[in-house]
Amino acid sequence: MKAIQIIAERQMALIDLPEELSALKSGEVRIRLKYVGFCGSDLSTYLGRNPMVNLPVIPGHEVGAVIEEVGPDVPEGLKAGMTVTVNPYTNCGKCASCRNGRPNACQHNETLGVQRNGAMREWLVLPWEKVIPAGLLTPRTCALVEPMSVGFHAVSRAQVTDIDVVVVIGCGMVGMGAIVRSAQRGATVVAIDIDDEKLLLARRLGAAYTLNSRTEDVHARLLEMTSGFGPDVVIEAVGSAPTYQMAVDEVAFTGRVVCIGYAKTEVSFQTKYFVQKELDIRGSRNALPSDFRAVIHYLERGTCPVDELISREVSPADAAAAMEQWADQPGKVFRILVQF
């Protein structure tokens, strides 16, 4: 079985793994991978900047696949030949997060391609609970479900409603998911990025306004758009010190800040704003099964410009070159899909 492995910093190779075609255990499903997406965490791993990863590792957790075989005691709703995606997170069932009904934030989570070997391979065996039927979607489109679901989950964490002005900082795949879901809930959405092409696409996905933070005065524009109040919600989907600071500085008094991105350096805040504004500052990690279903339902409508969210499709043999090019021009890529 062919698989892609990140061996060391800026070193990726196509390797051979055992076929793993032994009889399935109770509750297991074997899937054949069709498309797997490279995400920002994979790029960080490739660049040696992901502290959660021990190299070497097989990356990949954004999956479009077909069920090849089901083992004993798998529900009848999962059958050979079905197109599926994958919930790539684990949950222990015992920690505080699991006890509180939030398994997406499990203290002991191991995400495919991060804390354990991932899906950049031809075959994968999983517990049936982690296999998600994808309805009418193609395997290619399925590879977009997981990153968009992370954005959908952040909107739930923000408790967005139709009277909110929501700012989404960062128009990558996760940020686009947050834009879509906020617009679905009737909010007025403002998308912020430094790439005008991404901002144009953000408008197509539901943003009412766009701001290029490199060329425009974000503070002045946001006050203008909100009659001087500032946005009710700011969703940080970049993971940098300046964007974290922007979120706290720009959100309205009594507003909500939701943080998705991992900042790679320490962040300094004027903590008086936490108190003076009486802010709700919330983390948002991974996604729940309901978020996956919501994204699948959205994509099934056929209104999402899927082709524009897929920057490139490559074979496993060309994956290393594609990753190196992405490392050199990170701002120009939504998703690179590897077709198995």
Side-chain angles (χ1 to χ4, degrees):
M1 172 171 63
K2 297 296 183 184
I4 294 167
Q5 186 179 64
I6 299 175
I7 301 169
E9 182 178 331
R10 284 188 179 257
Q11 293 183 38
M12 181 182 288
L14 189 61
I15 63 171
D16 286 305
L17 293 177
E19 285 289 348
E20 297 181 354
L21 293 179
S22 59
L24 294 175
K25 299 175 183 177
S26 176
E28 290 185 335
V29 176
R30 181 181 289 108
I31 61 173
R32 176 181 281 275
L33 283 303
K34 298 294 186 181
Y35 290 89
V36 183
F38 277 126
C39 77
S41 65
D42 297 322
L43 179 59
S44 294
T45 299
Y46 179 74
L47 293 173
R49 300 173 185 170
N50 193 336
M52 295 182 288
V53 173
N54 291 319
L55 298 178
V57 69
I58 297 171
H61 55 257
E62 301 175 358
V63 170
V66 173
I67 294 178
E68 194 74 18
E69 184 182 358
V70 298
D73 304 315
V74 171
E76 292 184 2
L78 295 174
K79 298 180 183 298
M82 290 181 64
T83 298
V84 295
T85 190
V86 166
N87 181 332
Y89 325 120
T90 63
N91 56 284
C92 69
K94 299 177 182 178
C95 70
S97 300
C98 292
R99 184 180 62 183
N100 291 330
R102 291 160 69 177
N104 59 293
C106 175
Q107 181 179 351
H108 306 292
N109 167 65
E110 293 184 350
T111 299
L112 285 172
V114 185
Q115 294 92 347
R116 58 185 171 136
N117 280 325
M120 285 282 178
R121 60 179 86 186
E122 294 178 284
W123 304 85
L124 191 62
V125 174
L126 296 164
W128 72 262
E129 294 92 342
K130 300 300 180 182
V131 179
I132 302 173
L136 302 175
L137 300 186
T138 65
R140 179 173 178 264
T141 301
C142 283
L144 304 181
V145 171
E146 191 274 342
M148 292 194 80
S149 73
V150 175
F152 272 45
H153 184 68
V155 173
S156 294
R157 292 284 293 141
Q159 297 176 301
V160 170
T161 72
D162 60 351
I163 63 172
D164 289 324
V165 175
V166 178
V167 167
V168 178
I169 306 175
C171 294
M173 277 295 301
V174 171
M176 291 298 189
I179 290 166
V180 168
R181 195 56 163 167
S182 297
Q184 285 183 333
R185 292 191 175 198
T188 301
V189 184
V190 183
I192 298 179
D193 203 277
I194 59 174
D195 188 287
D196 286 330
E197 292 181 14
K198 290 184 176 181
L199 291 171
L200 285 173
L201 186 53
R203 281 189 178 271
R204 293 185 58 191
L205 291 175
Y209 304 97
T210 56
L211 293 174
N212 187 318
S213 58
R214 181 172 286 168
T215 60
E216 299 180 76
D217 185 332
V218 170
H219 179 69
R221 289 291 310 280
L222 288 178
L223 289 180
E224 178 186 336
M225 294 173 185
T226 60
S227 301
F229 291 107
D232 305 284
V233 175
V234 178
I235 297 175
E236 198 287 334
V238 175
S240 72
T243 51
Y244 263 78
Q245 291 162 343
M246 180 190 296
V248 171
D249 290 347
E250 300 302 338
V251 72
F253 275 62
T254 67
R256 287 100 73 197
V257 175
V258 175
C259 306
I260 309 174
Y262 284 95
K264 308 303 186 294
T265 60
E266 291 186 2
V267 184
S268 297
F269 290 106
Q270 291 290 338
T271 55
K272 66 179 182 180
Y273 291 144
F274 296 8
V275 178
Q276 288 179 346
K277 292 185 177 184
E278 199 175 47
L279 297 180
D280 291 330
I281 300 177
R282 306 172 184 178
S284 183
R285 185 182 181 191
N286 300 331
L288 289 166
S290 58
D291 300 308
F292 282 83
R293 293 196 301 271
V295 173
I296 290 169
H297 180 64
Y298 161 67
L299 291 172
E300 281 183 321
R301 298 176 188 172
T303 58
C304 179
V306 168
D307 289 343
E308 295 180 47
L309 295 173
I310 298 171
S311 305
R312 189 174 177 187
E313 297 175 46
V314 299
S315 69
D318 294 330
M323 183 63 89
E324 183 63 23
Q325 290 169 9
W326 188 16
D328 291 337
Q329 291 186 307
K332 291 297 182 181
V333 172
F334 279 111
R335 273 302 175 271
I336 297 171
L337 300 187
V338 179
Q339 182 178 10
F340 285 87

